[in-house]
Amino acid sequence: MKDNTIYIGLCLAGAVSAGAYTAGVIDFLLETLDEWEIQKEKNDPEVPAHQIKIAVIGGASAGGMTGILLSVKKDQAFKPVRMAPSNIHSSIPGNPFYNAWVDLTENDLWPLLLACNDLKGDAPIYSILNSSFIDKMVNASLRSMPLEKKARPYFSEPLKTFVTLCNLEGFRYNISMNANDPERYKYVMGKHADLACFHISENKEYLDDGWIPVNPETGFNTDIMEQAARATGAFPLVLKARFVSRPGKVINDLQWNRDITKHFPVSDEIYEALCVDGGIINNEPFEYVRQLLNQITGESVDVGDYNSFDTFKSTVLLVDPFPSEPELFNCTERWNYVAANTLQAMLDQMRMKPFEMMKPFNQNLSGQFMISPMKQLEVDGIPSQRCGSSAIACGGIWGFAGFFSKEFRVHDYFLGRANCEKFLREKFTVPLHSSNPIIKFGYKKVKNKQKYLSANGGLQIIPVFRESASNSYMPSFYNGEQWPTIAEKDIYKMRPLMKKRIEVILRKLGDYSTQEKILLWIGSKVLLSGKISDIVISQIIRGLKSHQLIK
């Protein structure tokens, strides 16, 4: 490990369609690091000389899918997308992040999501929505023709990439109890928090550590990465659950499984698990990223006070489109509120981080930084600021709003770029007179440090060389504003497709006699599907209006 290197672990949180925001952040980050490498080649003493290594990428759901995409494309050349096309609905070929999250497979995904081709004949119901677009997206993104090679020395070799999974069967284990018949009655529990871990390298050798070797250039083990990408984004019930197959030895060897597998090892040579969205159990897996960085750098859990940075060697960079915010608890005994609060309590409990791993994430420590949405707006001529999910267009309808309009995804992509630029310039800094040896080495020969200073006088950890961009590169949308909207009538266009899918699902919900099938067909055709469609559409419109996406 070089003494002049700061190691970064990227943690990419779950986001559903707001993966467009994360994609924009990654696009600007890579553009900035690429430019720094170009400046270093000029041997200009005014260019900071320290190194950055992205050593770990971990994510959940849409963030995990983006992390896998980044791992596959990191050695390929592509241009950053700095401006939207004049026709905002046009695609921009060549940039894998824009293609995957803004272009997707169609401008409007709902005809695909509501198509019934997955329910033909005797096919069972796999999910409320048609999930075939996930397969198209993964195939288009990960199996696309390799682009021209580009060296990016700021990625570690090897690079560790992982995604979180919710393993529905789980890893079963027994807790020993003294009982009358201990062999017959066992206290069996299951661990459902799972991770698919990949070692990105030219080396195909498995190192007995639970990390699956992957070579994207040759395609070695990329099929397992594709399975993991589909599974981590499988929003339960709404999208199809996915199988992930891995060697059983990999499961047994992984450090985060050993507390169970050393006593109850997986016996299958190939272990196949049915998985859904990893964000259910761990939506921001920064504690795993932090542990891996500690192993790489030899740092302790407490990684240094921000005010001194004496021991600063690494940091976790969390990209989170939906940062957790305190919510007003609705304290009522009505059953529907109790049901909703119970579900939220279960999610909160599953996602709770171990107390001992919370120390590095105190805001006064250098162990973690976060990029999250922030947008300046004018409302009736009065400046206002939106933060978190309210700042991104895809944040409506629990993150599914981006599937209603490409303009929402375009907005979030460029907001991600803008937020990353502001973060690198103003927040991702160290005090000017830091005694950290890495920073001192990097800026030792730089006489004009002023151009690398933030507004509060901090030195940029990753120097930004491009001229500061104004908000002008945020496109004006078809409504003539810089916040996109959709017409209510466009939502109602979904009704025939929605009605048809609901009809098919209702007829497949159980085994019926011929007479019952006829009655159910009539009922679903004439009454039920239309009523359900109207209820769903009214809820969608209400959700979009609350997010100010419908005027």
Side-chain angles (χ1 to χ4, degrees), residues 222-411:
T222 54
D223 57 328
I224 306 177
M225 287 191 83
E226 290 177 13
Q227 293 176 31
R230 293 183 178 95
T232 193
F235 198 95
L237 301 181
V238 179
L239 298 174
K240 181 181 177 182
R242 303 291 184 150
F243 284 102
V244 180
S245 297
R246 293 157 286 173
K249 179 172 172 51
V250 165
I251 305 297
N252 294 332
D253 289 342
L254 188 65
Q255 67 184 85
W256 298 305
N257 292 337
R258 285 184 198 143
D259 56 340
I260 291 174
T261 57
K262 67 182 178 182
H263 301 293
F264 303 94
V266 170
S267 58
D268 300 329
E269 184 175 351
I270 299 297
Y271 173 77
E272 186 176 62
L274 183 63
C275 300
V276 293
D277 196 320
I280 295 173
I281 293 178
N282 196 338
N283 200 52
E284 295 96 0
F286 50 75
E287 72 277 21
Y288 294 117
V289 177
R290 179 71 259 165
Q291 286 181 34
L292 293 169
L293 288 176
N294 288 349
Q295 292 169 10
I296 292 168
T297 63
E299 291 173 283
S300 63
V301 173
D302 293 309
V303 291
D305 189 290
Y306 177 82
N307 294 318
S308 67
F309 268 73
D310 289 337
T311 60
F312 176 73
K313 297 178 184 177
S314 69
T315 190
V316 179
L317 176 52
L318 171 65
V319 183
D320 197 346
F322 302 125
S324 299
E325 301 165 356
E327 295 184 7
L328 183 64
F329 180 70
N330 198 321
C331 190
T332 176
E333 294 170 308
R334 289 176 57 179
W335 73 271
N336 54 327
Y337 287 103
V338 171
N341 289 335
T342 300
L343 178 60
Q344 187 59 53
M346 292 169 64
L347 287 171
D348 288 346
Q349 182 64 31
M350 285 192 294
R351 292 173 174 176
M352 187 180 69
K353 308 296 183 186
F355 177 78
E356 63 271 20
M357 286 307 302
M358 295 303 292
K359 294 178 183 178
F361 309 112
N362 183 296
Q363 64 179 353
N364 293 320
L365 299 180
S366 59
Q368 176 164 321
F369 292 83
M370 180 170 72
I371 303 175
S372 59
M374 185 179 71
K375 182 178 177 69
Q376 303 289 341
L377 281 174
E378 278 197 10
V379 180
D380 298 326
I382 302 173
S384 67
Q385 181 175 284
R386 293 182 184 176
C387 296
S389 62
S390 64
I392 52 176
C394 294
I397 319 293
W398 305 287
F400 281 86
F403 297 143
F404 288 90
S405 171
K406 184 174 184 177
E407 291 192 26
F408 298 169
R409 307 193 298 271
V410 170
H411 172 276

Side-chain angles (χ1 to χ4, degrees), residues 416-434:
R417 281 183 55 88
N419 285 176
C420 186
E421 178 175 354
K422 183 176 179 63
F423 170 81
L424 294 180
R425 289 186 188 277
E426 302 295 333
K427 301 298 181 182
F428 199 45
T429 63
V430 300
L432 175 59
H433 300 294
S434 170

Side-chain angles (χ1 to χ4, degrees), residues 444-503:
K444 182 179 180 180
K445 297 181 180 180
V446 178
K447 294 180 179 179
N448 181 17
K449 296 183 176 64
Q450 187 65 37
K451 59 184 177 181
Y452 303 115
L453 289 180
S454 65
N456 65 359
L459 276 174
Q460 295 171 1
I461 296 173
I462 296 177
V464 183
F465 291 90
R466 61 172 289 174
E467 292 295 321
S468 182
S470 67
N471 289 331
S472 61
Y473 72 85
M474 177 63 74
S476 290
F477 298 96
Y478 280 173
N479 59 12
E481 301 176 5
Q482 290 195 349
W483 178 258
T485 56
I486 191 172
E488 194 168 316
K489 62 182 177 64
D490 291 330
I491 304 300
Y492 278 104
K493 289 179 182 177
M494 296 167 43
R495 190 179 186 277
L497 292 172
M498 184 180 294
K499 185 173 180 291
K500 176 64 176 176
R501 186 165 180 90
I502 291 171
E503 286 175 15

Side-chain angles (χ1 to χ4, degrees), residues 12-13 15 18-27 62-63 66 101 319-321 412 416:
L12 309 179
Y21 176 85
T22 303
V25 169
I26 296 299
D27 190 38
T66 305
W101 286 109
V319 183
D320 197 346
D412 289 359

